[in-house]
Amino acid sequence: MTVTRFLGPLDIAVVGCGVAGQAAATLLADTGHRVTIYERFTQPQPVGAGLLLQPTGLAVLRQLGLADAAIAGGARIAGLEARTHRGRSILDLRYADLHPLAFAVGIPRATLFDLLHARLGKSTAKLVTGAEIVDVDQTHLVEENGARHGPFDLIVAADGAHSALRSRLIPHARAPIYPWGCMWTTAPDLAGIGAAGLLRQRVRGTTLMMGLLPIGPRHGQDEVTIYWSMPMRALGRSKTIDLAAWRRAATALWPEAAPIIDHAAAAGDFARATYRHVALTHWNAGPVLFIGDAAHGTSPQLGQGANLGLMDAWVLAETLAEAPDLLSAFLRFERCRVPPVRYYRNASHLLTPFFQSRLAPLGWLRDAVMGPACHVPGLRTMMGSTLAGTRRGWLSTTKLGDDGCFPLDAF
Ligand SMILES: Cc1cc2nc3c(=O)[nH]c(=O)nc-3n(C[C@H](O)[C@H](O)[C@H](O)COP(=O)(O)OP(=O)(O)OC[C@H]3O[C@@H](n4cnc5c(N)ncnc54)[C@H](O)[C@@H]3O)c2cc1C
């Protein structure tokens, strides 16, 4: 008879206090491991736009006891609607097609960060700030100033898409920057565009795209996050953004959104975002396991990055709880995470040039094909489940449970 011995409490370092890092540190501490999380900022802070929490990410937040607060702190999203500047529908998807109770949540990144951070504070995980980790020496973390921390049994690298640890430990990893990024801001929904609870997009060809994501009320006024697609060369820190020109272009693309656009242009509080297409052949280098954007950054076209990072965190805690040793845990983790991550990374990569590129024919094809495809039953389900984050690959998906929630034990 063979006896399976499970891993005892481990000394674990998590690098990066973002979505994936905080969730992983909390879940690992909750299962009895001794966890320390290292963050380069002195004051950990959310970076980036409001985001869409899919049923997958919400299921992990439910495990952390944060789902109700996330729903209350954001806006319920019933689906996605994208139209051309002429009003032609190119995407029209609803979560309710998968299950009548299913929905997503548009949430300010600061709200999600605060929820995860408060929950981390209630766990036994320790937080070390102002620690820029640039290397791993066997079982120790090495800071930029040479300070060392450790030893650790496991190091979880959750230092984001531009991961320094990935460049250092897996130098051959592919992680090219997409040729297009976006600028974004948050503004009051002065046009009532979010009232229908939809993530809305307007496009013209492949060079103009604007998105409006409802993210719930602040000071009694509903707000939306605005995304505006831009080529990389216009996004450099040294480039100034001509907001008067943006206002004209955005209003011409989406006249009904003019009050929101005017307000955003006057406030001028835009941030810039670039994305990487990260593809690792293995997720670990010795005792270092990569999760979140550090392992699989993509363009945000499908709104999955944070959700995939939350799922990584949950699966990691589960596999560590069940595996007899670290190597088996890594193998199980990869077996669970590679299929959905590969699907979403490839699907995002495939889809992005249809929305962000200079390849005009892709825009014509998109406008001609995607709208009708949304009405073909099998394709509609595939597109809807892709949006909801439930796909495990091109041919398989995980069905939502009877309550309309994503069943985490299916993984
Ligand atoms: C415009 C835009 C819109 C998006 N919309 C969505 C959406 O709707 N839905 C969705 O699911 N995803 C969305 N995403 C993707 C999502 O933001 C990312 O996938 C997610 O934030 C990744 O989380 P992470 O924890 O892996 O990395 P990050 O959130 O980047 O966190 C990394 C952390 O590591 C820290 N760090 C970095 N380097 C070091 C170091 N050397 N030492 C110590 N600490 C370090 C950073 O300071 C940071 O705190 C969007 C992204 C963009 C750019």
Side-chain angles (χ1 to χ4, degrees):
M1 191 176 84
T2 53
V3 179
T4 306
R5 295 200 6 242
F6 296 108
L7 278 167
L10 301 175
D11 286 304
I12 301 178
V14 176
V15 181
C17 192
V19 179
Q22 296 201 83
T26 306
L27 289 164
L28 290 168
D30 283 1
T31 46
H33 299 291
R34 295 176 291 270
V35 182
T36 312
I37 179 165
Y38 293 86
E39 167 58 44
R40 67 177 161 183
F41 288 127
T42 317
Q43 184 66 48
Q45 56 194 318
V47 183
L51 53 78
L52 193 55
L53 283 170
Q54 305 290 357
T56 43
L58 279 171
V60 179
L61 292 182
R62 201 163 285 116
Q63 290 295 317
L64 287 163
L66 302 176
D68 290 343
I71 294 164
R76 275 186 190 240
I77 302 296
L80 163 66
E81 184 198 89
R83 292 181 181 277
T84 67
H85 64 295
R86 294 207 170 91
R88 183 189 175 108
S89 172
I90 53 169
L91 282 169
D92 187 7
L93 301 169
R94 296 291 180 277
Y95 293 97
D97 288 341
L98 303 177
H99 190 288
L101 298 175
F103 63 92
V105 173
I107 190 166
R109 204 170 280 248
T111 305
L112 177 62
F113 179 88
D114 289 347
L115 288 173
L116 286 168
H117 205 59
R119 181 66 179 79
L120 177 75
K122 286 187 189 146
S123 76
T124 57
K126 284 187 238 149
L127 172 63
V128 177
T129 56
E132 174 122 24
I133 306 299
V134 292
D135 201 358
V136 170
D137 180 8
Q138 307 220 1
T139 55
H140 285 71
L141 295 180
V142 183
E143 268 189 67
E144 204 184 21
N145 62 11
R148 291 160 62 89
H149 305 272
F152 295 104
D153 303 306
L154 166 64
I155 294 166
V156 179
D159 52 345
H162 308 291
S163 167
L165 286 181
R166 186 187 59 232
S167 314
R168 181 79 189 96
L169 302 176
I170 318 183
H172 57 272
R174 283 193 303 121
I177 291 195
Y178 271 92
W180 288 67
C182 72
M183 66 172 191
W184 64 270
T185 192
T186 291
D189 184 5
L190 300 174
I193 281 185
L198 296 172
L199 164 57
R200 291 197 147 128
Q201 293 177 340
R202 282 286 181 285
V203 296
R204 180 172 188 159
T206 50
T207 56
L208 290 184
M209 176 174 70
M210 176 166 154
L212 290 177
L213 171 66
I215 53 168
R218 198 171 54 160
H219 308 310
Q221 167 73 62
D222 283 337
E223 292 198 318
V224 285
T225 287
I226 306 173
Y227 301 95
W228 181 260
S229 171
M230 288 173 79
M232 263 297 290
R233 57 176 169 67
L235 278 169
R237 295 270 162 243
S238 58
K239 305 273 177 185
T240 43
I241 293 170
D242 180 348
L243 287 179
W246 171 73
R247 185 169 158 268
R248 286 192 297 278
T251 310
L253 179 67
W254 202 336
E256 302 87 333
I260 304 173
I261 295 166
D262 289 348
H263 188 283
D269 188 21
F270 280 87
R272 309 165 193 214
T274 57
Y275 352 115
R276 281 182 192 268
H277 176 70
V278 181
L280 301 184
T281 44
H282 295 291
W283 291 39
N284 80 295
V288 183
L289 182 73
F290 290 84
I291 68 166
D293 274 13
H296 47 67
T298 62
S299 98
Q301 196 62 48
L302 291 170
Q304 301 295 331
N307 296 280
L308 290 170
L310 287 167
M311 286 294 297
D312 289 348
W314 187 81
V315 173
L316 175 59
E318 288 295 297
T319 46
L320 277 187
E322 289 166 12
D325 54 62
L326 213 48
L327 185 61
S328 318
F330 284 171
L331 290 174
R332 276 192 205 184
F333 176 81
E334 277 202 26
R335 213 175 306 130
C336 286
R337 295 307 293 144
V338 165
V341 160
R342 185 189 289 143
Y343 173 77
Y344 280 104
R345 191 182 47 226
N346 290 342
S348 296
H349 199 51
L350 202 70
L351 214 56
T352 298
F354 285 86
F355 291 84
Q356 293 189 289
S357 71
R358 297 216 174 272
L359 304 170
L362 292 186
W364 305 334
L365 193 63
R366 174 200 65 202
D367 295 352
V369 172
M370 278 195 189
C374 285
H375 299 287
V376 177
L379 281 177
R380 183 174 178 80
T381 311
M382 179 163 186
M383 291 162 94
S385 56
T386 297
L387 173 66
T390 62
R391 293 210 70 86
R392 300 170 70 105
W394 293 100
L395 298 176
S396 71
T397 191
T398 301
K399 276 213 164 94
L400 296 179
D402 291 342
D403 52 1
C405 297
F406 182 79
L408 280 177
D409 52 9
F411 268 74

